[in-house]
Each structure stands twice: as C-alpha cells, then as structure tokens.
Amino acid sequence: MCRLFAVTSREPLSPMTAVHALNVMKEGHDGSGMGLFLTDLGGSFERFRGSPILSGIFSNEGLRALDRYLMDLDFTVKYKLSIRPAQIPPAGTPKRDNYVVRAYDYPPDWLALPQEEREHRLMLTRLRLRQMGEADGSMLIFSFWPDVIMIKEVGDPMELAGYLGLDHEELQARVILAQGRQNTNYAINIYACHPFFIQGYATMTNGENTAFVPIREFLTSRNYAGYTGYQSDSEVFTHILHYTQKGLGLGLDLYKHIITPLKDGELGHHPNGTKLKQIKQACRPLIIDGPNCVIGCLPDKTIFMVHDSKKLRPGIAGGSPGMFALSSEVCGLDAAIPARNKSTDIQPMKYDTVMIPPGRDEVIRWNQWER
Amino acid sequence: MESMGTLTPSTLSRTDLPWQLAWSREKCTLCGQCTAVCPVRAIELGVHRKRVVQVGLGLAEKPGNVFSVYHGIRQKTEPAFACIGCGMCDLVCPNGAIRPVRGGEPDKLRFHNNAGGVPRRRGGRRNDPRSLLDEIKFIRISMLTDPALDAGRHDFELRTLLGRILPPEALVRAVQDNGWIPPVREIYPLIIGSMSFGALSPNMWEGLQMGVAYLNEEMGMPVRICTGEGGCPPRLLRSRFLKYVILQIASGYFGWDEIIHALPEMKEDPCAIEIKYGQGAKPGDGGLLMWYKVNRLIAAIRGVPPGVSLPSPPTHQTKYSIEESVAKMTQSMAMAWGFRVPVYPKISATSTTLAVLNNLTRNPYASGLAMDGEDGGTGAAYNVSMNTMGHPIASNIRDAYLNLVKVGKQNEIPLFAGGGIGKNGNLAANAAALIMLGASGVQIGKYIMQAAAGCLGSETDRCNICNIGLCPKGITSQDPRLYRRLDPEQVAQRVVDTYLSFDTELKKIVAPLGRSTSLPIGMSDALGIADATAAERLRISHVL
C-alpha cells in the first residue's frame, strides 16, 4: 500500500521532513519508490519564482538532446541545482547519469504571450520532451513549471534521500508532497510514481482506482494534450482536478462532488441538489470507485485531502498555525509535527474535504452536505 | 399390399415431425385434458383396433384371433397440426401419461410448412441457443490492494441515465446562463423492452405494469417499461403511472391517435419516447400483429378495424434519411412534450449502426440509441427473418461505444442494448457484460416473459406460436379463454422477484470488481473471454 505525506509551512522546509514522515510509516509501504513534489520554494530557487523549472532524470545523451531542444526554443538556463548522487545506488535503484533541476528563462518571444498561452506551451514542451525520451529512456520528465520541483526514483525513501543528498540546503519548500512506494500493480515504471503533475496541480493517491479505464477514456477523449500518460491508474485524479478547475472553472468543492457524488436519493434533499445532480450526470464518467485517499496541491498552494465515497483508505490532518500536514497515518503526522494539539487533528470522513489554504492558519473542513 | 390412403409430397410420419408425443396407455385415464389443452390440436382421440392371437391348449381348438378396441390419443401428422413441443399436455395430464419428445434427427416438417406458398411465420426468437455473452467472464477481481466490496452490506448506486447529457463544459454554461438542459431520467439499467398491447395479452400487460409500479413505488427501483407499437390503454395514459412508461412510436403509428388526444389530460410525462426504426428479431421488416389477435379491444386502442392483420411498414414512410428522421420525428416528438421528455430511436443492430449514431451525435435532441441484436424476440415474424437476419449485439454495442469514445461523447448519448440478454438464463451476467462493453442499460423481453409468466418458448423451436394468438400460457393471446389462465397479480409478483434477484446478482458481479458508486459502463478491463478472436474484436482480455 502507498503512504502519503504532505506538509505546508510558512517557513521553508527540507524535503527530509517528509522523508522522515514516510519512514515512520514504513510498515505501511514497501519502500519500493518515492515521489516528491516541492512548491512554494525556498532556498536559491525562491529568487526565480517566475521561471519555469525543469525536473527530471537524464542520460548523458538525453541531457545533450535536452539542451539542444530547449536552446532551439530559446530557453536559457538561469540556475541549476547539482544533485550528485553517491557512487553506489541503494539496492533496487538504477544508476542514473543526471538528476536535473534547472530554472530557465522564458524565450523572449514568449514573454509577450498571455499567461494562459504561455502555460499551455510549457505543458506542450514538457510533453514533447517526455515523448523524445520515451523511446530510449534517455529523458524522464516530471515537471516543467515555475516554482515546482519534482523528484522521483525507485527505492526506499530514506535510502534514496541519503543517496541523492536531499538534505541539500538549496532544496527547500513550503509545500511538500511525498509518496512512498511505486505502483506495484503494474511493471515498475517511474512515470507511474505519484505525485502526478499538470499545470500547477499535483495529486497523489493511496489505493486503487477501479473505475480507471472509463475515466481514462473520458479524459483522453477531451482532446487535451495534457491528458496523457496513465502509467498509473492514479494519474487520473490529477487530471480530473485540472479538468474540474481549468476546463470547467469549478472549485475544489465541486472536485469532491464530481469524483464522489452524493447518491441520487441524497441529492434530493441537498440544498444545491438540482445543480449537483446535473453536474453528476454530465461528469458521470469521472466518478471514482476505488478505495482512495487523494492528497493534492492547487496552483495557489492550497493543499487538500479527500476520500472515496466509502472512505476505504485512511488519512489525517493536523498541525498548528504556521505548519500543517496531511498524512496517511497519525505516526507520520507525529513525526513531522510532534508539538501540536492532537485533539484538533481531523480524520476526514467520506463526505469531507479538508484543505489548508496558503495562509497556513487552520485546517478547513467542509462536507458535501454544506456546499 | 394394403392401401396407404393418399400419399402426398407433404404426407409426413410422426418420425418426420420435430416433436413426437410419447403416450402411455397404461397411465392414461382418458380424461381428454391433453386433447383439450393442445393449442395446435395436435392430439386427437384415437380409437385403436388391436388383434390378439389366441392359441388354446391342445389341438382340439384351432388358434384364433380376438379383435379388441382401445381408446387413447393419436398424434396428427399434417403440417398444420404438428406438435410444437409446448408440453401443455404433460402439464395437465393427471397421471403423467403424455409428453412431447424431440425427434432424434432434423425434422422433415421444415420442408413443408409453407402450404399455399406462404413461408413459415412464427413468434419467438432465433433458433440458436449459442450466446457469446455467456462466454464473457469478469476477471478483474479486487484483491488485497483494493478490497472487494460487500454485495450484501455496502451501498450500491446502480442506476443509469436515459436522455441526452450535455458535455460538462456546456452544462456549466447552461447552468450559468439558465439555458436549456435536455431532460434526463435516472432509471434502473434493466428495462422491460417494447412488447405491445396486442402482442401481449391484457393480463400479461397488466401484470407487467403492476410489477413495474410496485418496483418503483414500494422497492424504490426506477424500473421502466416500453409499450411497443400498439398504443397504450387510455387509463394508463391518464394515470400517474405513465412516468414509468416509455411510449413507442413505430412505422404503423398504431395507437398514436389515442396518445395525442390524451396529451392534454396527462398527469405525468412519460419516461421517454422510443421511435422504433427496427428490431432485432426481424430487422428491416416492419411490425406484425396477425389478424387472429386483433380483437375489438386491440382494434380500439390501435385505431383500426378488428380482425385484420396489422403489418407496419419496414420504414417510416415519410422519412427517407436519418437527417429527416432526426429532424422531423425526434424534434417534433420532443416538442410535443415541451422538450421535457427524452426521445430516442431504436434500431436493429446492423453493420451501419455507426452511420446512425454519428448523425445522432450531431443532433441535440437525440436522447440515446437503443440497439436490438439478432437474438431479439418478436410476437410474429417470418422464420427466415428471425433465424438469419440481423447483427449480434456484443460487437455492435462495442463498436458504437468505442466510436463515441473516439469523438468524446460516450457520456452524452446513452446506448441501450437488447437481443438475447439472458437467453440461457444468465440475465445479470449478460447485462453486466454488455454494460462493461459500453451499454448504459439493457432491454429484455423474452426473459421477462419466461420468468414472469412461464413462457415456454426456446431457442430450439419449442412452442413459438405467439403470432397466432394461441399462446397456451395466455401471455400472447387475445382470447379470454386463454389469457385468463394468467393471473396479473402473480405476473406482477414474478416481475418483482425477477428484478430483486437480478439486483442481487448484479451486485454480486460488480462488488468483487470494486465498483459500487456508479454503473461500470465501459469498464472493459474487467472482461475476459477464452476466444482470442472475440477478445481482439471486442478489445477485451484474452484469458485461458
């Protein structure tokens, strides 16, 4: 089973905070992989907040191809983080040539573009690079977006953190999403590793998504270039979130109503029942059905947690003003924020969405009956 | 050589018939019930002469013959009276003295039941018991990583939608702008398909309607029933139960005068309007209600004179293209109910289904598409149509669904599959397979007749005389002497039993797949089949 941990803090944190939390939840995951999503960055990257940051793994040849491609597009490297792994990788971790985290300057002709168009081009560039590397595995691209760093690798999270030197002082973020374990239902594939990312939206999931195939078919038939991949059945959660917000212009409350709508009978007495029923019908193929706990981050740096409609996967939210965390297990939360008032911890139930807005003042909980 | 009487080319022996009556003289009480009940008068009183040779002891007396007569039954062998294997004689015989037995080799009757140059007509279904749907297995069982659900304890949302569903972007705009949102019905995915008032007896119709009303109002299951082409009894049109009914209009427009006139008095809108362009049992052929069944009641409801055969044309005479059909019929029907009622066409499954479907996707008033496969049933059709015409439903529904996926409209136009669902009794499994291939729901006819009223028909040519109004169970007869055999209350009870057991079985299928919050439409990763060609064609897993 996967274990998830997300933390949001006014002060930048090292990703080691999240890695430690994953480590104490180790009994619940098999240590076969780790994915990290860092945003609202601190450290050196804070200075380049508007610049797109490319995160990925490259062979030497892949790195050359990357440089050629981005230079042709007129991107210029502004800053790069040097990740120098130890000589011998941990058991099960492949030896890679380059872990890349680089901030770029936009091509000059992009600067005049509307933000929407620029963001679309960034996504297309990421997808193109991914495609270029897919044939020979020379490039693995996780994100190409301002103020976002992603690191993914196969292996035990704690060992990986040591191997990759994730305690690097440059690597700091105010929002961190971390997931332990690869998706073991399918062949090990780094693209199946959570969190998944698209245009500022990131989510990670604990559990299976039994409605995966119809959801994937629906998303891919939206004719939107970004809805691709799906090496893991959990990637659709990220894309549904993106579709809900960017495609339909709906809020996070509707995300919960779309993936786990109330039953028809329940909608009959919901104050907003008519509209919700229509949305349920129109978005019927996006209804999830698995045992799932979804933790995600919105472009405005709000982090949130929702469950499947039967709450078949655990999750807890807690912390104190300035620093909150969402965790699969309470021990992960304890490890990250031991000095908190535990009586205010929230274990969201099947109708709940919990979120921590970027102010980090409180955990906000609402349930589907309220909105 | 004794005379054999007149020997004509169509003179058949009992051996030449598909069914032979096995009769026991020892058990027979000569009550005559079998003779009376036989719907085709295959049994007649038999007076048999028997000779017994008597040989006395010794030589004094010469051997002699004693001739005696015994009474019993005789099976007629004229093609018009050939036993249909219904088994009613066995049902009524107090001693189990008689029963039909299927002949050991293909019969010779088939070459002769076209007297007067009229090919064989019958009711029933295609005479082929094979079913691809029965071969489909559900292979994606949730284990450990996603625990299987509990069919008995968890909540399940197994409803489906009938109606045009706007794409999410358009819906959000319509909600914001207070625009028109097409009507959508939330219904149970097992629909009682179109069987007309006329094809079915009044008692059968009443029983089905009562069962449907009970399921809706007492069991909370939004089950819907389609009228077929024969209109709708006036009281039902004006009752609150109309909302459980899908009104069908077909090329004969039978009964629509009554329906149109009832419009101002309707308390409820009907569930939907189904425009029949074809049916699976006799694709490309019109409906047919033979004169035997057109009594005064049927004639009144349909607006025709009694005692005449009612063939509907194979096509709607005023429509020569799909565009016309959609524009004229779908839109005008939608308009007749103020755009509050979904209107959708029903077609025979065909290799040209996608052409129809593609046109429907472009019309905002088309609310779905019902497709009826070759295994669909009928009250009356030519034998050749039933046995050889039509397209299997599985690949047709799959092609249609995948085509909708390609254009991104898989949630906008619900597909309903009919034809052979549960033909071998596996109703829930067949329905679930079709749903996972892409159907939003399924329509059944023959199954509910068998389960709710004891229809005797089979895919091996048993009974199948629905067309001539002699249904021995009273299901498809308009003769009160026959249909009073059927108690509507008991039919209703069986309808409810059937739906409740189906519901449990459907849950027993979807729960292990980890599905409960929505009907698993298009969940093709759950399906597998041992036939590699079928797997490739349906784009499901090949499993051995």
Side-chain angles (χ1 to χ4, degrees), chain A residues 184-361:
Chain A
T184 47
N185 301 98
Y186 306 94
I188 294 285
N189 177 335
I190 203 89
Y191 279 129
C193 181
H194 315 207
F196 300 101
F197 175 80
I198 182 168
Q199 291 202 317
Y201 297 88
T203 71
M204 54 189 178
T205 315
N206 175 3
E208 292 258 331
N209 176 9
T210 51
F212 170 55
V213 166
I215 297 175
R216 180 188 64 191
E217 283 174 348
F218 186 81
L219 288 168
T220 50
S221 62
R222 296 309 90 194
N223 281 328
Y224 183 79
Y227 299 154
T228 181
Y230 306 119
Q231 275 73 18
S232 160
D233 58 8
S234 291
E235 191 162 13
V236 298
F237 294 102
T238 320
H239 294 178
I240 296 172
L241 177 65
H242 178 268
Y243 179 66
T244 306
Q245 302 219 330
K246 297 273 278 189
L248 304 180
L250 303 173
L252 187 60
D253 48 349
L254 267 300
Y255 178 63
K256 175 66 175 162
H257 276 296
I258 285 173
I259 60 172
T260 63
L262 294 175
K263 297 188 184 67
D264 293 342
E266 294 172 327
L267 287 172
H269 3 93
H270 192 284
N272 212 5
T274 307
K275 179 185 163 194
L276 291 177
K277 187 178 280 192
Q278 287 162 340
I279 288 175
K280 174 184 178 179
Q281 291 172 349
C283 298
R284 177 172 56 160
L286 298 177
I287 298 173
I288 67 161
D289 216 341
N292 294 122
C293 171
V294 182
I295 293 177
C297 178
L298 304 179
D300 73 355
K301 318 304 178 197
T302 296
I303 62 169
F304 70 92
M305 175 193 282
V306 292
H307 293 277
D308 65 274
S309 60
K310 293 189 171 56
K311 205 207 165 183
L312 291 171
R313 284 287 180 271
I316 184 166
S320 46
M323 183 172 175
F324 290 93
L326 306 171
S327 176
S328 290
E329 294 183 49
V330 69
C331 61
L333 187 56
D334 287 344
I337 315 178
R340 70 183 194 282
N341 179 358
K342 293 184 183 178
S343 67
T344 59
D345 287 353
I346 294 173
Q347 298 198 22
M349 300 308 285
K350 60 180 184 176
Y351 294 124
D352 294 333
T353 300
V354 297
M355 54 181 275
I356 299 141
R360 287 107 177 168
D361 293 321

Side-chain angles (χ1 to χ4, degrees), chain B residues 242-518:
Chain B
L242 185 62
K243 58 179 178 284
Y244 310 138
V245 176
I246 297 168
L247 295 173
Q248 190 189 73
I249 185 166
S251 55
Y253 307 118
F254 294 124
W256 272 80
D257 197 42
E258 180 69 41
I259 292 172
I260 297 294
H261 281 100
L263 260 173
E265 295 162 27
M266 286 180 185
K267 292 190 184 72
E268 297 272 359
D269 287 332
C271 167
I273 308 298
E274 180 176 276
I275 304 173
K276 177 192 156 191
Y277 292 96
Q279 71 180 90
K282 44 181 168 177
D285 205 358
L288 175 62
L289 188 69
M290 292 179 74
W291 62 269
Y292 310 87
K293 296 168 74 169
V294 185
N295 62 16
R296 282 178 55 208
L297 174 67
I298 303 303
I301 290 176
R302 294 192 174 210
V304 295
V308 296
S309 286
L310 302 178
S312 304
T315 181
H316 292 254
Q317 296 295 292
T318 56
K319 320 286 180 307
Y320 289 95
S321 69
I322 174 76
E323 291 83 357
E324 258 195 308
S325 297
V326 169
K328 284 185 181 170
M329 288 202 75
T330 307
Q331 286 177 217
S332 52
M333 278 293 165
M335 192 156 46
W337 271 274
F339 300 98
R340 301 185 308 272
V341 176
V343 181
Y344 66 92
K346 171 189 172 180
I347 60 169
S348 316
T350 158
S351 55
T352 59
T353 293
L354 296 187
V356 176
L357 185 60
N358 285 334
N359 272 282
L360 297 182
T361 60
R362 291 193 279 273
N363 187 290
Y365 303 103
S367 305
L369 178 63
M371 299 150 63
D372 196 11
E374 62 173 350
D375 281 324
T378 179
Y382 283 90
N383 183 59
V384 68
S385 298
M386 261 191 270
N387 279 355
T388 59
M389 303 296 290
H391 194 296
I393 190 62
S395 61
N396 213 230
I397 202 87
R398 188 73 178 138
D399 288 350
Y401 177 75
L402 290 174
N403 190 62
L404 288 176
V405 168
K406 207 166 159 187
V407 295
K409 292 180 184 289
Q410 63 268 49
N411 189 48
E412 294 170 36
I413 299 197
L415 303 171
F416 289 87
I421 297 145
K423 70 190 280 191
N424 294 316
N426 307 312
L427 181 64
N430 291 176
L434 282 165
I435 288 167
M436 290 178 209
L437 288 173
S440 279
V442 298
Q443 297 183 331
I444 52 164
K446 304 181 301 289
Y447 187 94
I448 201 71
M449 294 165 77
Q450 290 173 315
C455 165
L456 301 166
S458 76
E459 280 76 8
T460 48
D461 211 358
R462 182 176 169 194
C463 196
N464 290 345
I465 52 166
C466 334
N467 56 326
I468 51 174
L470 294 176
C471 173
K473 290 295 191 84
I475 303 166
T476 62
S477 170
Q478 300 304 334
D479 183 341
R481 291 169 300 180
L482 292 174
Y483 69 67
R484 71 183 174 208
R485 292 174 183 172
L486 203 59
D487 180 345
E489 303 273 354
Q490 290 175 354
V491 171
Q493 173 72 59
R494 287 294 302 144
V495 169
V496 174
D497 289 347
T498 304
Y499 268 84
L500 294 183
S501 66
F502 171 85
D503 196 58
T504 301
E505 286 200 337
L506 189 59
K507 287 175 187 168
K508 285 285 178 191
I509 291 170
V510 300
L513 307 179
R515 297 300 304 268
S516 67
T517 51
S518 66

